[in-house]
Amino acid sequence: MRMQSGVSLLNLPASSVLVPVVETRPRFVQALETPAVRAILLRHCNLFEFKALVERAHRNGYALYVNMDHIDGVNADYAGLRHLATHFHIRGVISSHPKVMVLAHELGLEAIQRIFAVDSTGLEMALESVDRAVVDMLDFTPAHVVPYIMPALRPTLDLPYMASGLLYGANQLRAVLASGVRAVAVTRLDQWLPVLSACSSSAETH
């Protein structure tokens, strides 16, 4: 069973709902120096090259997540995930593969299953593959479809969810936030933080 406590994609405050997707050292540093950031998603990078930054993030209480489908230097097997948990202080993993979800659950990591919502058939098949006994959260991509699919899914969707990928404007982000997501993964944090701030200000005046 999961023994961790503290910051998680499952309980981010509204001011920290944007989760930077980090692929390079400058982006990692930017995330660590942005007060609103509490969780970071790592992908398309070699974690061993980021060891010092990972330690810094851990010391400062950030929740770190790894996209196991797009990471270098670590296999998506039991040994690989255990190494991430033990030596890189990873809070959880994201993957579209149910087997990775099972392994993450066994190791006490948060298991976030990625759901590709590119068409109705693919969406249905992806959701059927979700084992609710081991999956903690769903990650729907592309993000901009979430407001359109949630009305039909919400009555039977008993898992929290986030969104990631292919946001093109402020209105799309506002709609995604209004759909009930716990987090939104973004590659351009500097682009979206002002939009989030504007959304929050608008909500406070109504």
Side-chain angles (χ1 to χ4, degrees):
M1 296 297 293
R2 199 165 288 98
M3 300 296 291
Q4 298 172 334
S5 61
V7 177
S8 162
L9 289 178
L10 297 168
N11 63 16
L12 290 176
S15 60
S16 300
V17 71
L18 295 183
V19 178
V21 178
V22 167
E23 299 178 346
T24 65
R25 183 177 297 275
R27 292 293 187 189
F28 205 154
V29 172
Q30 178 194 45
L32 294 175
E33 294 179 350
T34 302
V37 171
R38 300 310 307 153
I40 296 171
L41 172 58
L42 299 163
R43 75 171 186 195
H44 291 307
C45 59
N46 190 316
L47 294 181
F48 295 93
E49 297 176 358
F50 289 171
K51 183 63 175 175
L53 290 172
V54 167
E55 291 295 337
R56 176 181 167 187
H58 176 64
R59 288 195 305 270
N60 288 282
Y62 291 86
L64 296 179
Y65 295 81
V66 172
N67 185 327
M68 293 306 300
D69 300 341
H70 301 284
I71 200 70
D72 298 330
V74 181
N75 292 326
D77 55 18
Y78 187 89
L81 268 65
R82 183 173 183 177
H83 188 82
L84 290 179
T86 304
H87 299 286
F88 287 88
H89 318 292
I90 296 302
R91 177 85 192 203
V93 298
I94 296 176
S95 175
S96 60
H97 301 292
K99 181 179 179 180
V100 176
M101 298 293 93
V102 173
L103 295 175
H105 180 78
E106 291 176 355
L107 288 163
L109 296 169
E110 287 179 14
I112 303 171
Q113 186 162 337
R114 196 160 208 211
I115 303 296
F116 292 96
V118 293
D119 57 51
S120 57
T121 301
L123 175 61
E124 182 178 349
M125 292 179 62
L127 289 172
E128 287 177 352
S129 74
V130 175
D131 183 349
R132 286 163 172 76
V134 300
V135 174
D136 298 294
M137 191 179 200
L138 301 178
D139 174 23
F140 288 97
T141 187
H144 65 263
V145 308
V146 172
Y148 301 99
I149 64 176
M150 275 306 135
L153 295 181
R154 192 174 289 114
T156 58
L157 187 64
D158 54 358
L159 288 170
Y161 53 94
M162 61 179 288
S164 61
L166 295 180
L167 281 175
Y168 292 111
N171 289 337
Q172 286 188 352
L173 178 59
R174 292 189 186 96
V176 170
L177 293 173
S179 72
V181 295
R182 299 288 182 92
V184 181
V186 296
T187 54
R188 292 296 304 273
L189 184 64
D190 51 346
Q191 173 184 343
W192 294 109
L193 274 176
V195 179
L196 177 64
S197 179
C199 291
S200 300
S201 298
S202 177
E204 291 173 358
T205 59
H206 288 83

